[in-house]
């Protein structure tokens, strides 16, 4: 019904991250575009946003690392530069189930 369009991936990232509050956690895959990684490590951290970077090849283990303050799971698939492919559907199913706990 609605959609947003951005001129760049980092523009999208910046807009999405502006929805979070200090202390919120972003659970990220361990292989991200360099600009995305630097945003989380050097920019978002200045706003007290937390991020963790984990291998998502085992969706159960990846989602098990969600914390009460996890607000977003950031996935890029296939990844850059290693072209890893994650089971996005499985990660989403597990994350939805865990967030109901």
């Amino acid at each position: 019904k609605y959609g947003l369009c951005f001129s760049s991936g980092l523009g999208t990232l910046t807009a999405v991250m502006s929805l979070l509050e200090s202390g919120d956690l972003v659970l990220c895959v361990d292989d991200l575009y360099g600009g995305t990684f630097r945003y989380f490590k050097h920019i978002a951290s200045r706003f007290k946003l937390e991020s963790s970077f984990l291998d998502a090849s085992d969706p159960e283990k990846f989602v098990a690392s969600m914390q009460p303050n996890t607000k977003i799971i950031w996935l890029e698939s296939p990844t850059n530069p290693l072209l890893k492919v994650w089971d996005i559907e499985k990660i989403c199913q597990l994350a939805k189930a865990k967030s109901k706990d």
Side-chain angles (χ1 to χ4, degrees), residues 45-87:
S45 61
R46 291 192 333 217
F47 297 97
K48 308 293 189 237
L49 296 174
E50 300 175 32
S51 52
S52 59
F53 303 89
L54 301 166
D55 180 9
S57 58
D58 180 345
E60 287 85 4
K61 186 175 178 182
F62 180 75
V63 171
S65 65
M66 287 175 63
Q67 303 297 316
N69 63 332
T70 301
K71 302 300 178 191
I72 292 179
I73 294 177
W74 193 268
L75 300 169
E76 297 176 4
S77 185
T79 65
N80 179 352
L82 300 178
L83 299 176
K84 294 180 180 180
V85 177
W86 313 118
D87 188 344

Side-chain angles (χ1 to χ4, degrees), residues 8-32:
S8 72
L10 286 176
T12 305
L13 174 63
T14 303
V16 171
M17 292 301 108
S18 72
L19 300 172
L20 300 180
E21 297 179 4
S22 177
D24 288 346
L25 173 68
V26 181
L27 179 58
C28 304
V29 295
D30 64 350
D31 183 40
L32 296 172

